[in-house]
Amino acid sequence: MKRAKFSLIILIVILLASCNESKKNPQYIEEKVTDYAIVYNVLVNDSTDNYDVFSMNIDGSDKTNITKLPGLEWTYFSDNERVLFVSDKDTCQRCYSLYETNYKGENSKKISDIRLADSWMSSRKNSTELIVRPHSKVDSLFYIIDRKGNILS
């Protein structure tokens, strides 16, 4: 019986020591919590087929229309705080250009004058380059552009 108690005490000491060690080990250091947001499309007017891009906090609070534009804001791509989207706000109906804003809808600006297709986009090279699809009247290939809208390939 004394041997079982001694073994149990040794086991508890080892467990406590290992728990204490894990806190000192750099791989167990807690990472800084980063704020996240969800970005999504919403049909805001069925009769005009108008979609806008919205964002909200990860818990569903603070839902915000980040585009609030008269045109159609359709596909989007998000990278950190930046949200890129296509819009026909200052062109003919369904003649899309590329725009950028932050996830709160601030500092919106036009990135490119290239007429784009109604198509999703992506990035490469840590989002320094974007992959977009021009409208079929412009080209039949995908374009690789920089963050300022210049065609790289």
Side-chain angles (χ1 to χ4, degrees), residues 6-55:
F6 180 73
S7 296
L8 182 60
I9 291 171
I10 294 295
L11 179 62
I12 291 171
V13 169
I14 291 172
L15 286 173
L16 290 173
S18 66
C19 288
N20 197 19
E21 268 308 298
S22 68
K23 290 179 182 177
K24 294 177 185 175
N25 190 331
Q27 72 183 22
Y28 294 104
I29 294 174
E30 289 184 32
E31 294 182 24
K32 180 183 171 193
V33 176
T34 307
D35 292 332
Y36 291 96
I38 298 171
V39 178
Y40 56 99
N41 289 76
V42 173
L43 177 64
V44 293
N45 188 331
D46 192 25
S47 64
T48 61
D49 195 31
N50 185 23
Y51 286 80
D52 281 339
V53 180
F54 285 71
S55 71

Side-chain angles (χ1 to χ4, degrees), residues 24-145:
K24 294 177 185 175
N25 190 331
Q27 72 183 22
Y28 294 104
I29 294 174
E30 289 184 32
E31 294 182 24
K32 180 183 171 193
V33 176
T34 307
D35 292 332
Y36 291 96
I38 298 171
V39 178
Y40 56 99
N41 289 76
V42 173
L43 177 64
V44 293
N45 188 331
D46 192 25
S47 64
T48 61
D49 195 31
N50 185 23
Y51 286 80
D52 281 339
V53 180
F54 285 71
S55 71
M56 68 179 169
N57 294 331
I58 202 81
D59 65 359
S61 64
D62 198 23
K63 294 176 182 161
T64 307
N65 183 336
I66 63 172
T67 52
K68 285 190 230 173
L69 300 170
L72 171 73
E73 288 70 53
W74 184 235
T75 64
Y76 63 90
F77 174 79
S78 60
D79 169 50
N80 293 319
E81 290 190 11
R82 297 180 291 196
V83 178
L84 293 110
F85 59 94
V86 296
S87 175
D88 65 356
K89 72 174 191 150
D90 58 1
T91 60
C92 62
Q93 185 177 19
R94 306 304 188 252
C95 299
Y96 302 111
S97 295
L98 183 62
Y99 295 83
E100 177 181 320
T101 188
N102 67 12
Y103 76 96
K104 294 180 179 182
E106 303 163 336
N107 306 317
S108 183
K109 64 181 178 179
K110 189 174 188 177
I111 297 295
S112 174
D113 288 321
I114 301 166
R115 184 174 176 194
L116 297 177
D118 178 6
S119 174
W120 293 102
M121 61 195 91
S122 191
S123 72
R124 67 181 204 167
K125 297 186 178 180
N126 291 329
S127 295
T128 60
E129 296 179 356
L130 301 167
I131 301 142
V132 296
R133 186 172 149 228
H135 190 274
S136 61
K137 292 182 180 178
V138 175
D139 204 337
S140 61
L141 303 173
F142 285 94
Y143 284 175
I144 297 172
I145 62 174

